[in-house]
Coordinates of all heavy atoms in Angstrom, one line a residue:
A203 N 31.6 182.9 188.3 CA 31.5 183.7 187.1 C 30.8 185.0 187.4 O 31.1 186.0 186.9 CB 30.7 182.9 186.0
E204 N 29.8 184.9 188.3 CA 29.1 186.1 188.7 C 30.0 187.2 189.4 O 29.9 188.4 189.1 CB 27.9 185.8 189.7 CG 27.1 186.9 190.1 CD 26.0 186.5 191.1 OE1 25.5 185.3 191.0 OE2 25.6 187.3 191.9
A205 N 30.9 186.7 190.2 CA 31.8 187.6 190.9 C 32.8 188.3 189.9 O 33.0 189.5 190.0 CB 32.6 186.8 192.0
A206 N 33.2 187.5 189.0 CA 34.1 188.1 187.9 C 33.4 189.2 187.2 O 34.0 190.2 186.9 CB 34.6 187.0 187.0
G207 N 32.2 188.9 186.8 CA 31.4 189.9 186.1 C 31.1 191.1 186.9 O 31.2 192.3 186.4
L208 N 30.8 191.0 188.2 CA 30.6 192.1 189.1 C 31.8 193.0 189.2 O 31.7 194.2 189.0 CB 30.2 191.6 190.4 CG 29.8 192.6 191.5 CD1 28.6 193.3 191.1 CD2 29.7 191.9 192.9
V209 N 32.9 192.4 189.4 CA 34.2 193.2 189.5 C 34.5 193.9 188.2 O 34.9 195.0 188.1 CB 35.3 192.4 190.0 CG1 36.6 193.1 189.9 CG2 35.1 191.9 191.4
K210 N 34.3 193.2 187.1 CA 34.6 193.7 185.7 C 33.6 194.9 185.4 O 34.0 195.9 184.8 CB 34.4 192.7 184.7 CG 34.9 193.1 183.3 CD 34.8 191.9 182.3 CE 35.3 192.3 181.0 NZ 35.3 191.2 180.0
E211 N 32.4 194.8 185.8 CA 31.4 195.9 185.5 C 31.5 197.1 186.4 O 31.2 198.2 186.0 CB 30.0 195.3 185.7 CG 29.5 194.3 184.6 CD 28.2 193.8 184.9 OE1 27.3 194.4 185.6 OE2 27.9 192.6 184.4
H212 N 32.0 196.9 187.6 CA 32.1 198.0 188.6 C 33.6 198.3 188.9 O 34.2 197.7 189.8 CB 31.4 197.6 189.9 CG 29.9 197.4 189.6 ND1 29.0 198.4 189.4 CD2 29.2 196.2 189.5 CE1 27.8 197.9 189.2 NE2 27.9 196.5 189.3
R213 N 34.1 199.3 188.1 CA 35.5 199.6 188.2 C 35.9 200.1 189.6 O 36.9 199.7 190.1 CB 35.8 200.7 187.2 CG 37.2 201.2 187.2 CD 37.5 202.0 185.9 NE 38.7 202.8 186.0 CZ 39.9 202.4 186.2 NH1 40.2 201.1 186.4 NH2 41.0 203.2 186.2
E214 N 35.0 200.8 190.3 CA 35.2 201.2 191.7 C 35.5 200.1 192.6 O 36.3 200.1 193.5 CB 34.1 202.1 192.2 CG 33.9 203.4 191.4 CD 32.9 203.2 190.2 OE1 32.3 202.1 190.1 OE2 32.9 204.1 189.4
L215 N 34.6 199.0 192.5 CA 34.8 197.8 193.3 C 36.1 197.2 193.0 O 36.8 196.8 194.0 CB 33.6 196.9 193.0 CG 33.7 195.6 193.8 CD1 33.6 195.8 195.3 CD2 32.5 194.7 193.4
A216 N 36.5 197.1 191.8 CA 37.8 196.5 191.4 C 38.9 197.2 192.1 O 39.9 196.7 192.6 CB 37.9 196.4 189.9
L217 N 38.8 198.6 192.0 CA 39.9 199.4 192.6 C 40.0 199.2 194.1 O 41.1 199.1 194.7 CB 39.6 200.9 192.3 CG 39.9 201.3 190.8 CD1 39.4 202.7 190.6 CD2 41.3 201.1 190.4
I218 N 38.8 199.1 194.8 CA 38.8 198.9 196.2 C 39.4 197.6 196.6 O 40.2 197.5 197.5 CB 37.3 199.1 196.8 CG1 36.9 200.5 196.7 CG2 37.2 198.5 198.2 CD1 35.4 200.7 197.0
L219 N 39.0 196.6 195.9 CA 39.5 195.2 196.2 C 41.0 195.0 195.9 O 41.6 194.2 196.6 CB 38.7 194.2 195.4 CG 37.2 194.1 195.8 CD1 36.5 193.0 195.0 CD2 37.0 193.8 197.3
S220 N 41.5 195.8 195.0 CA 42.9 195.7 194.7 C 43.8 196.7 195.3 O 45.0 196.7 195.2 CB 43.1 195.6 193.2 OG 42.7 196.9 192.6
S221 N 43.2 197.7 196.0 CA 44.0 198.8 196.6 C 44.7 198.4 197.9 O 44.1 197.9 198.8 CB 43.1 200.0 196.9 OG 43.9 201.0 197.5
P222 N 46.0 198.6 198.0 CA 46.8 198.3 199.2 C 46.4 199.3 200.3 O 46.7 199.0 201.5 CB 48.2 198.5 198.8 CG 48.3 199.3 197.6 CD 46.9 199.1 196.9
S223 N 45.8 200.4 200.0 CA 45.4 201.4 201.0 C 44.2 201.1 201.8 O 43.9 201.7 202.8 CB 45.3 202.8 200.4 OG 44.2 202.8 199.5
V224 N 43.4 200.1 201.3 CA 42.2 199.7 201.9 C 42.5 198.6 203.0 O 43.2 197.6 202.6 CB 41.1 199.1 200.9 CG1 39.9 198.6 201.6 CG2 40.7 200.2 199.9
D225 N 42.1 198.8 204.2 CA 42.4 197.9 205.3 C 41.8 196.5 205.0 O 40.7 196.3 204.4 CB 41.7 198.4 206.6 CG 41.9 197.5 207.7 OD1 43.0 197.4 208.2 OD2 40.9 196.9 208.2
K226 N 42.6 195.5 205.3 CA 42.3 194.1 205.0 C 40.9 193.7 205.6 O 40.1 193.1 204.9 CB 43.4 193.1 205.5 CG 43.0 191.7 205.3 CD 44.1 190.8 205.9 CE 43.9 189.3 205.8 NZ 42.6 188.8 205.4
Q227 N 40.7 194.1 206.8 CA 39.4 193.7 207.5 C 38.2 194.4 206.8 O 37.2 193.7 206.6 CB 39.4 194.2 208.9 CG 40.3 193.3 209.8 CD 40.1 193.6 211.3 OE1 40.3 194.8 211.6 NE2 39.9 192.7 212.1
K228 N 38.4 195.6 206.4 CA 37.3 196.3 205.6 C 37.1 195.6 204.3 O 35.9 195.4 203.9 CB 37.6 197.8 205.4 CG 37.5 198.6 206.7 CD 37.9 200.0 206.4 CE 37.8 200.8 207.7 NZ 38.1 202.2 207.5
R229 N 38.1 195.3 203.6 CA 38.0 194.7 202.3 C 37.4 193.3 202.4 O 36.4 193.0 201.7 CB 39.4 194.6 201.6 CG 39.4 194.0 200.2 CD 40.7 193.9 199.6 NE 41.6 193.1 200.4 CZ 42.8 193.5 200.9 NH1 43.2 194.7 200.7 NH2 43.5 192.7 201.6
D230 N 37.8 192.5 203.4 CA 37.2 191.2 203.6 C 35.8 191.3 204.0 O 34.9 190.5 203.6 CB 38.0 190.4 204.7 CG 39.4 189.9 204.2 OD1 39.7 190.1 203.0 OD2 40.1 189.4 205.0
G231 N 35.4 192.3 204.8 CA 34.1 192.5 205.2 C 33.2 192.9 204.0 O 32.0 192.4 203.9
L232 N 33.7 193.7 203.1 CA 33.0 194.1 201.9 C 32.7 192.8 201.0 O 31.6 192.6 200.5 CB 33.7 195.1 201.1 CG 33.1 195.6 199.8 CD1 31.8 196.2 200.0 CD2 34.1 196.6 199.1
I233 N 33.8 192.0 200.8 CA 33.6 190.8 200.0 C 32.6 189.9 200.7 O 31.7 189.3 200.0 CB 35.0 190.1 199.9 CG1 35.9 190.9 199.0 CG2 34.8 188.7 199.3 CD1 37.4 190.5 199.0
A234 N 32.6 189.7 202.0 CA 31.7 188.8 202.7 C 30.3 189.4 202.5 O 29.3 188.6 202.3 CB 32.1 188.7 204.1
Q235 N 30.1 190.7 202.7 CA 28.7 191.3 202.5 C 28.2 191.1 201.1 O 27.0 190.7 200.9 CB 28.7 192.7 202.8 CG 28.8 193.0 204.3 CD 28.9 194.5 204.6 OE1 29.1 195.3 203.7 NE2 28.6 194.9 205.8
I236 N 29.0 191.3 200.1 CA 28.5 191.2 198.7 C 28.2 189.7 198.4 O 27.2 189.4 197.8 CB 29.6 191.7 197.7 CG1 29.7 193.2 197.9 CG2 29.3 191.3 196.3 CD1 30.9 193.8 197.1
G237 N 29.1 188.8 198.9 CA 28.9 187.4 198.7 C 27.7 186.9 199.4 O 26.9 186.1 198.8
A238 N 27.4 187.3 200.6 CA 26.2 186.9 201.3 C 24.9 187.4 200.6 O 24.0 186.6 200.4 CB 26.3 187.4 202.7
K239 N 24.9 188.6 200.2 CA 23.7 189.1 199.5 C 23.5 188.4 198.2 O 22.4 188.2 197.7 CB 23.9 190.6 199.2 CG 23.7 191.5 200.5 CD 23.7 192.9 200.2 CE 23.4 193.7 201.5 NZ 23.4 195.2 201.2
A240 N 24.6 188.0 197.5 CA 24.5 187.4 196.2 C 24.3 185.9 196.3 O 24.0 185.2 195.4 CB 25.8 187.6 195.4
G241 N 24.4 185.3 197.6 CA 24.2 183.9 197.8 C 25.4 183.0 197.3 O 25.2 181.9 197.0
W242 N 26.6 183.6 197.3 CA 27.8 182.9 196.9 C 28.1 181.9 198.0 O 28.0 182.1 199.2 CB 29.0 183.8 196.7 CG 28.8 184.8 195.6 CD1 27.9 184.8 194.5 CD2 29.5 186.0 195.4 NE1 28.0 185.9 193.8 CE2 29.0 186.6 194.3 CE3 30.5 186.6 196.1 CZ2 29.5 187.9 193.8 CZ3 31.0 187.8 195.7 CH2 30.5 188.4 194.5
P243 N 28.7 180.7 197.6 CA 29.2 179.8 198.6 C 30.4 180.3 199.3 O 31.1 181.2 198.8 CB 29.5 178.5 197.7 CG 29.6 179.0 196.4 CD 28.8 180.2 196.2
E244 N 30.6 179.8 200.5 CA 31.7 180.3 201.3 C 33.1 180.1 200.6 O 34.0 181.0 200.7 CB 31.7 179.6 202.7 CG 32.6 180.2 203.7 CD 32.2 181.5 204.2 OE1 30.9 181.8 204.1 OE2 33.0 182.3 204.6
V245 N 33.2 179.1 199.8 CA 34.5 178.8 199.1 C 34.7 180.0 198.1 O 35.9 180.4 197.9 CB 34.5 177.4 198.5 CG1 33.5 177.3 197.4 CG2 35.9 177.1 198.0
A246 N 33.7 180.5 197.5 CA 33.8 181.6 196.5 C 34.3 182.8 197.2 O 35.1 183.6 196.8 CB 32.6 181.8 195.7
I247 N 33.6 183.1 198.4 CA 33.9 184.3 199.2 C 35.4 184.2 199.6 O 36.1 185.2 199.5 CB 33.0 184.4 200.3 CG1 31.5 184.7 199.8 CG2 33.4 185.5 201.3 CD1 30.5 184.6 200.9
N248 N 35.8 183.1 200.1 CA 37.2 182.9 200.6 C 38.2 183.0 199.5 O 39.3 183.6 199.7 CB 37.3 181.6 201.4 CG 36.6 181.6 202.7 OD1 36.4 182.7 203.3 ND2 36.3 180.5 203.2
T249 N 37.8 182.5 198.3 CA 38.7 182.6 197.2 C 38.9 184.1 196.8 O 40.1 184.5 196.5 CB 38.2 181.8 196.0 OG1 38.1 180.5 196.3 CG2 39.1 182.0 194.7
L250 N 37.9 184.9 196.8 CA 38.0 186.3 196.5 C 38.8 187.0 197.5 O 39.6 187.9 197.1 CB 36.6 186.9 196.4 CG 35.8 186.6 195.2 CD1 34.4 187.3 195.3 CD2 36.5 187.1 193.9
K251 N 38.7 186.6 198.8 CA 39.5 187.3 199.8 C 41.0 187.0 199.6 O 41.8 187.9 199.7 CB 39.1 186.8 201.2 CG 37.8 187.3 201.6 CD 37.4 186.7 203.0 CE 36.0 187.1 203.5 NZ 35.7 186.5 204.8
V252 N 41.3 185.7 199.2 CA 42.7 185.4 198.9 C 43.2 186.1 197.7 O 44.4 186.7 197.7 CB 42.9 183.8 198.7 CG1 44.2 183.5 198.2 CG2 42.6 183.1 200.0
L253 N 42.4 186.2 196.6 CA 42.9 187.0 195.5 C 43.1 188.4 195.8 O 44.1 189.0 195.4 CB 41.8 186.8 194.3 CG 41.7 185.5 193.7 CD1 40.5 185.5 192.7 CD2 43.0 185.1 192.9
A254 N 42.2 189.0 196.6 CA 42.4 190.4 197.0 C 43.6 190.6 197.9 O 44.4 191.6 197.7 CB 41.1 190.9 197.7
D255 N 43.8 189.7 198.8 CA 45.0 189.8 199.7 C 46.3 189.8 199.0 O 47.2 190.4 199.4 CB 45.0 188.6 200.7 CG 43.9 188.8 201.8 OD1 43.3 189.9 202.0 OD2 43.7 187.8 202.5
H256 N 46.3 189.0 197.9 CA 47.5 188.9 197.1 C 47.6 189.7 195.9 O 48.4 189.6 195.0 CB 47.8 187.4 196.7 CG 48.0 186.5 197.9 ND1 49.2 186.4 198.5 CD2 47.2 185.7 198.6 CE1 49.1 185.6 199.6 NE2 47.9 185.2 199.7
R257 N 46.6 190.7 195.8 CA 46.6 191.7 194.7 C 46.5 190.9 193.3 O 47.2 191.3 192.4 CB 47.8 192.6 194.7 CG 48.1 193.2 196.0 CD 47.1 194.4 196.3 NE 47.5 195.1 197.5 CZ 46.9 194.9 198.7 NH1 45.9 194.0 198.8 NH2 47.3 195.5 199.8
R258 N 45.6 189.9 193.3 CA 45.5 189.1 192.1 C 44.1 189.1 191.5 O 43.7 188.2 190.8 CB 45.9 187.6 192.4 CG 47.3 187.4 192.9 CD 48.4 187.7 191.9 NE 48.2 186.8 190.9 CZ 48.9 186.8 189.7 NH1 49.7 187.8 189.5 NH2 48.7 185.9 188.8
M259 N 43.4 190.2 191.8 CA 42.0 190.3 191.3 C 41.9 190.2 189.8 O 40.9 189.7 189.2 CB 41.3 191.5 191.8 CG 41.1 191.6 193.3 SD 40.1 190.2 193.9 CE 38.5 190.6 193.3
K260 N 42.9 190.6 189.1 CA 42.9 190.6 187.6 C 43.0 189.1 187.1 O 42.6 188.8 186.0 CB 44.1 191.3 187.0 CG 44.0 192.8 187.2 CD 45.2 193.5 186.6 CE 45.1 195.0 186.8 NZ 46.2 195.8 186.2
A261 N 43.4 188.2 188.0 CA 43.4 186.8 187.6 C 42.1 186.1 187.7 O 41.9 185.0 187.3 CB 44.5 186.1 188.4
M262 N 41.1 186.8 188.3 CA 39.8 186.1 188.6 C 39.1 185.7 187.3 O 38.6 184.5 187.3 CB 38.9 187.1 189.3 CG 37.6 186.4 189.7 SD 36.5 187.3 190.8 CE 36.9 188.9 190.6
A263 N 39.1 186.4 186.2 CA 38.4 186.0 185.0 C 39.0 184.7 184.4 O 38.3 183.8 184.0 CB 38.5 187.1 184.0
D264 N 40.4 184.7 184.4 CA 41.0 183.4 184.0 C 40.8 182.3 184.9 O 40.6 181.1 184.4 CB 42.5 183.7 183.8 CG 42.9 184.6 182.7 OD1 42.1 184.7 181.7 OD2 44.0 185.2 182.7
L265 N 40.7 182.5 186.2 CA 40.4 181.5 187.1 C 39.0 180.9 186.9 O 38.8 179.7 186.9 CB 40.5 182.0 188.6 CG 40.2 181.0 189.7 CD1 41.1 179.9 189.7 CD2 40.2 181.8 191.0
V266 N 38.0 181.8 186.7 CA 36.7 181.3 186.5 C 36.6 180.5 185.2 O 36.0 179.5 185.1 CB 35.7 182.5 186.4 CG1 34.3 182.1 185.9 CG2 35.6 183.2 187.8
K267 N 37.3 181.0 184.1 CA 37.3 180.3 182.8 C 37.9 178.9 183.0 O 37.3 177.9 182.5 CB 38.1 181.1 181.8 CG 38.0 180.6 180.4 CD 38.8 181.6 179.5 CE 39.9 180.8 178.8 NZ 40.7 181.6 178.0
D268 N 39.0 178.8 183.7 CA 39.6 177.5 183.9 C 38.8 176.6 184.7 O 38.7 175.4 184.4 CB 41.0 177.7 184.5 CG 42.0 178.4 183.6 OD1 41.7 178.5 182.4 OD2 43.1 178.9 184.1
L269 N 38.1 177.1 185.8 CA 37.3 176.3 186.6 C 36.1 175.8 185.8 O 35.7 174.6 186.0 CB 36.8 177.0 187.9 CG 37.9 177.2 188.9 CD1 37.4 178.1 190.0 CD2 38.4 175.9 189.5
D270 N 35.5 176.6 185.0 CA 34.4 176.2 184.1 C 34.8 175.1 183.2 O 34.1 174.1 183.0 CB 33.8 177.4 183.3 CG 33.0 178.4 184.2 OD1 32.6 178.0 185.3 OD2 32.7 179.5 183.7
A271 N 36.0 175.2 182.6 CA 36.5 174.2 181.7 C 36.7 172.9 182.4 O 36.4 171.8 181.9 CB 37.8 174.7 181.0
L272 N 37.2 173.0 183.7 CA 37.5 171.8 184.5 C 36.2 171.1 184.8 O 36.0 169.9 184.6 CB 38.2 172.2 185.8 CG 38.5 171.0 186.7 CD1 39.5 170.0 186.0 CD2 39.2 171.6 188.0
V273 N 35.1 171.8 185.2 CA 33.8 171.3 185.5 C 33.2 170.6 184.2 O 32.7 169.5 184.3 CB 32.9 172.3 186.0 CG1 31.4 171.8 186.1 CG2 33.3 172.8 187.4
D274 N 33.3 171.3 183.1 CA 32.8 170.8 181.8 C 33.5 169.5 181.5 O 32.9 168.5 181.1 CB 33.0 171.8 180.7 CG 32.0 172.9 180.8 OD1 31.0 172.9 181.5 OD2 32.2 174.0 180.1
D275 N 34.8 169.4 181.7 CA 35.6 168.2 181.4 C 35.2 167.1 182.3 O 35.0 166.0 181.8 CB 37.1 168.5 181.5 CG 37.9 167.4 181.1 OD1 37.8 166.9 180.0 OD2 38.8 166.9 182.0
R276 N 35.0 167.4 183.6 CA 34.6 166.3 184.5 C 33.2 165.8 184.2 O 33.0 164.6 184.5 CB 34.7 166.8 185.9 CG 36.1 167.1 186.4 CD 36.6 166.1 187.4 NE 38.0 166.3 187.6 CZ 38.5 166.6 188.8 NH1 37.7 166.8 189.8 NH2 39.8 166.7 188.9
L277 N 32.4 166.7 183.7 CA 31.0 166.3 183.5 C 30.8 165.7 182.0 O 29.7 165.3 181.6 CB 30.0 167.4 183.7 CG 29.9 167.9 185.2 CD1 29.0 169.1 185.3 CD2 29.4 166.8 186.1
G278 N 31.9 165.8 181.3 CA 31.8 165.3 179.9 C 31.1 166.2 178.9 O 30.7 165.8 177.9
R279 N 31.0 167.5 179.3 CA 30.4 168.5 178.4 C 31.4 168.9 177.3 O 32.6 169.0 177.6 CB 30.0 169.7 179.1 CG 28.9 169.5 180.2 CD 28.6 170.8 180.8 NE 27.8 170.6 182.0 CZ 27.8 171.4 183.0 NH1 28.5 172.5 183.0 NH2 27.0 171.2 184.1
V280 N 30.9 169.0 176.1 CA 31.7 169.5 175.0 C 31.0 170.7 174.4 O 29.8 170.7 174.2 CB 31.8 168.4 173.9 CG1 32.6 168.8 172.7 CG2 32.3 167.1 174.5
S281 N 31.8 171.8 174.2 CA 31.3 173.0 173.6 C 31.3 172.9 172.1 O 32.2 172.3 171.5 CB 32.0 174.2 174.1 OG 33.4 174.1 173.8
A282 N 30.4 173.5 171.5 CA 30.2 173.5 170.0 C 31.2 174.4 169.4 O 31.7 175.4 169.9 CB 28.8 173.8 169.6

């Protein structure tokens, strides 16, 4: 959820991550640096890299929402 918020708040970052003109290695390095500083798990960093590679960063908010719902369902949480 934190990554989705970060990309949503920083338009420049979203443009860099989704731009085909940015070299894959540079983009992946940027994602890794941001993720490391934020303390994200490796699976989150790798997921962002895959989304960026496939120009699917706009799908991140829906992905986070769906994953949150899945976790809530597995844990038996019910929203009011």
Side-chain angles (χ1 to χ4, degrees):
E204 183 181 332
L208 181 67
V209 172
K210 187 175 182 178
E211 289 177 26
H212 299 284
R213 182 164 161 60
E214 298 85 10
L215 179 59
L217 290 172
I218 290 169
L219 295 179
S220 62
S221 175
S223 65
V224 175
D225 179 68
K226 178 185 177 348
Q227 285 184 310
K228 288 181 183 179
R229 186 179 58 239
D230 286 354
L232 177 62
I233 292 169
Q235 286 179 342
I236 292 169
K239 284 185 179 184
W242 298 339
E244 193 68 27
V245 68
I247 293 169
N248 289 338
T249 299
L250 285 178
K251 289 178 183 179
V252 170
L253 289 173
D255 285 348
H256 295 279
R257 313 282 185 257
R258 301 291 296 170
M259 293 303 292
K260 290 181 180 181
M262 187 172 22
D264 288 336
L265 176 64
V266 169
K267 186 175 122 186
D268 291 345
L269 287 173
D270 284 344
L272 181 62
V273 169
D274 287 345
D275 185 56
R276 294 254 171 116
L277 295 176
R279 294 182 195 153
V280 179
S281 60

